[in-house]
Amino acid sequence: MYKIGLIPGDGIGPEVTREAMKVFGAAAAHAGIQYETVEYDIGGDRYLATGEVLPDSVLEELRGFDAIYLGAIGHPDVKPGILEKGILLKVRFELDLYINLRPVKLYPGVPTPLKDKGPEEIDFIIVRENTEGLYAGIGGFLKRGTRDEVAIQEMINTYKGVERCVRYAYELTQKRNKENTLTLCDKANVLTYAHDLWRRVFDEVGEDYPDIKKEYAFVDATTMWMVKNPEWFDVVVTCNMFGDIITDLGAMIQGGMGVAASGNLNPESVAMFEPIHGSAPRYTGKNQINPIAAIGAAGMMLDHLGHEDAAAKVETSISDLLASGKIKDLGAGRMGYTTEEVGDLIAEGL
Ligand code: IPM
Ligand code: MN
């Protein structure tokens, strides 16, 4: 019996979470998987009503789940940074979810802005370090608000943090068994301390994986190749900040935010799954948002729980629906179906 924590969150978060859990539930029923959910109302509305962002008691409860599902966080009436740092980043950091796994997969039938590229060419996975780097939140101001102001934001890279991330990426490359190529995306030509550490660890850990081909790409060049030659990538491992940036690009080439799913993992304990998109407040309650990214994240949750067959069925059902051409446009309000209907179609497809 799995225990799953649900954080539907803000804006369209609850709508996509409902469809994701509908499909999760259908897949679980087929596979004989038992689970129960506990839902939390954390997000912008609770913050505005009570001043609470993520109470310690909730954080403690989250540690006890087999998996956590998050819809979306972000509220137009809340200053940027409060909910992002207070909820999303706090859970990632406090639960030590050190891997952010973001597949970039173009499903057949989905338009990509890349000319002459299709599902054959756009199929790789980005492994983003998720607990260190520029996101560590270390820094401060000196003489804030004056012309003498100094603002410092430290980029933290620890041997342990880099090692476990890089090792996970090697393991994933081996397991995926596609091109057996792992690319380190860095800026070692400029960040000659931080990313020197990444290179050394990448090479050192790589000795344990002699069959994996090692590639190196600077982050600026990575963005170029993701557009020009996405087929060059199999698995890409990178630091937190670069991972944030290149996964938005990844989401676009795979057909947009409507399809991009992700998982925040600690391979030794709990994990949190979420679509990459935000809370899209404009579409709240309209039943128009595309739930496919959210459903994809629920599929990743099944995979993480060890139900690879059930996860593969969710992926196939998504893929079949997209290939059928029924959904004319993946954008919110342009699908020709409601959010709920898309969830029904994918659940039925199982
Ligand atoms: C993401 C988001 C978050 C990040 C924000 C909302 C804090 O952009 O999951 O990629 O920067 O990690
Ligand atoms: Mn991002």
Side-chain angles (χ1 to χ4, degrees):
M1 172 72 91
Y2 294 117
K3 271 189 73 185
I4 295 173
L6 290 183
I7 305 173
D10 300 316
I12 50 77
E15 287 163 64
V16 297
T17 300
R18 206 172 301 129
E19 300 317 307
M21 292 313 292
K22 180 194 284 174
V23 175
F24 183 91
H30 288 302
I33 299 165
Q34 308 258 327
Y35 69 99
E36 58 185 27
T37 58
V38 182
E39 190 169 320
Y40 297 91
D41 68 349
I42 59 179
D45 288 326
R46 174 154 170 183
Y47 171 69
L48 290 171
T50 69
E52 279 179 323
V53 182
L54 177 64
D56 287 344
S57 60
V58 173
L59 189 61
E60 284 317 305
E61 284 178 40
L62 292 179
R63 289 182 202 281
F65 290 107
D66 295 297
I68 302 161
Y69 188 90
L70 181 136
I73 294 288
H75 196 293
D77 301 335
V78 180
K79 200 175 140 219
I82 294 179
L83 302 171
E84 292 88 340
K85 274 188 126 170
I87 299 175
L88 193 57
L89 298 183
K90 188 151 180 192
V91 173
R92 288 179 184 168
F93 279 65
E94 290 290 325
L95 271 51
D96 203 22
L97 308 178
Y98 62 86
I99 299 295
N100 196 325
L101 194 62
R102 298 188 157 181
V104 180
K105 182 182 165 76
L106 180 69
Y107 287 107
V110 174
T112 172
L114 299 190
K115 187 166 160 275
D116 301 332
K117 301 291 175 190
E120 282 284 303
E121 286 83 25
I122 302 173
D123 183 9
F124 57 99
I125 303 187
I126 298 173
V127 176
R128 166 186 176 187
E129 201 290 321
N130 213 26
T131 52
E132 300 193 341
L134 278 169
Y135 276 68
I138 293 185
F141 298 108
L142 185 67
K143 302 185 185 175
R144 187 171 184 273
T146 72
R147 291 292 178 105
D148 294 322
E149 175 161 354
V150 179
I152 294 178
Q153 189 100 37
E154 300 275 11
M155 184 191 208
I156 305 300
N157 297 268
T158 68
Y159 180 91
K160 176 186 161 184
V162 176
E163 202 267 347
R164 64 186 184 175
C165 175
V166 162
R167 189 170 292 283
Y168 177 89
Y170 275 111
E171 289 288 327
L172 179 70
T173 311
Q174 203 164 56
K175 185 170 160 219
R176 183 167 146 94
N177 196 20
K178 195 169 173 260
E179 307 292 334
N180 287 316
T181 302
L182 178 62
T183 303
L184 172 63
C185 163
D186 64 19
K187 192 71 186 175
N189 51 342
V190 174
L191 305 180
T192 49
Y193 309 117
H195 286 177
D196 183 70
L197 173 66
W198 274 80
R199 288 233 167 168
R200 278 183 283 123
V201 173
F202 183 75
D203 291 340
E204 186 186 309
V205 177
E207 284 171 19
D208 295 343
Y209 302 87
D211 301 338
I212 306 282
K213 194 161 166 251
K214 288 107 189 151
E215 297 278 7
Y216 308 83
F218 296 137
V219 63
D220 46 353
T222 302
T223 62
M224 181 174 80
W225 286 323
M226 279 174 69
V227 172
K228 196 167 177 290
N229 298 99
E231 66 278 7
W232 287 357
F233 298 112
D234 177 7
V235 179
V236 177
V237 63
T238 193
C239 68
N240 209 340
M241 186 79 255
F242 294 171
D244 178 49
I245 298 166
I246 68 171
T247 55
D248 265 27
L249 177 56
M252 283 303 120
I253 67 173
Q254 74 180 116
M257 287 296 176
V259 287
S262 77
N264 303 268
L265 322 176
N266 180 322
E268 291 89 46
S269 66
V270 66
M272 177 170 73
F273 297 86
E274 52 169 335
I276 294 186
H277 64 65
S279 60
R282 279 197 301 143
Y283 291 100
T284 306
K286 294 205 166 118
N287 204 13
Q288 287 182 348
I289 200 87
N290 183 347
I292 293 179
I295 294 169
M300 290 177 75
M301 181 156 79
L302 282 164
D303 189 73
H304 176 78
L305 290 170
H307 300 283
E308 289 167 15
D309 290 348
K313 282 187 184 140
V314 172
E315 216 184 289
T316 305
S317 184
I318 291 174
S319 177
D320 288 350
L321 175 64
L322 291 168
S324 74
K326 279 186 188 163
I327 300 183
K328 293 282 174 267
D329 187 315
L330 294 176
R334 299 193 299 268
M335 297 190 292
Y337 291 90
T338 64
T339 304
E340 214 177 325
E341 284 166 345
V342 173
D344 287 341
L345 286 167
I346 295 171
E348 282 158 20
L350 290 170

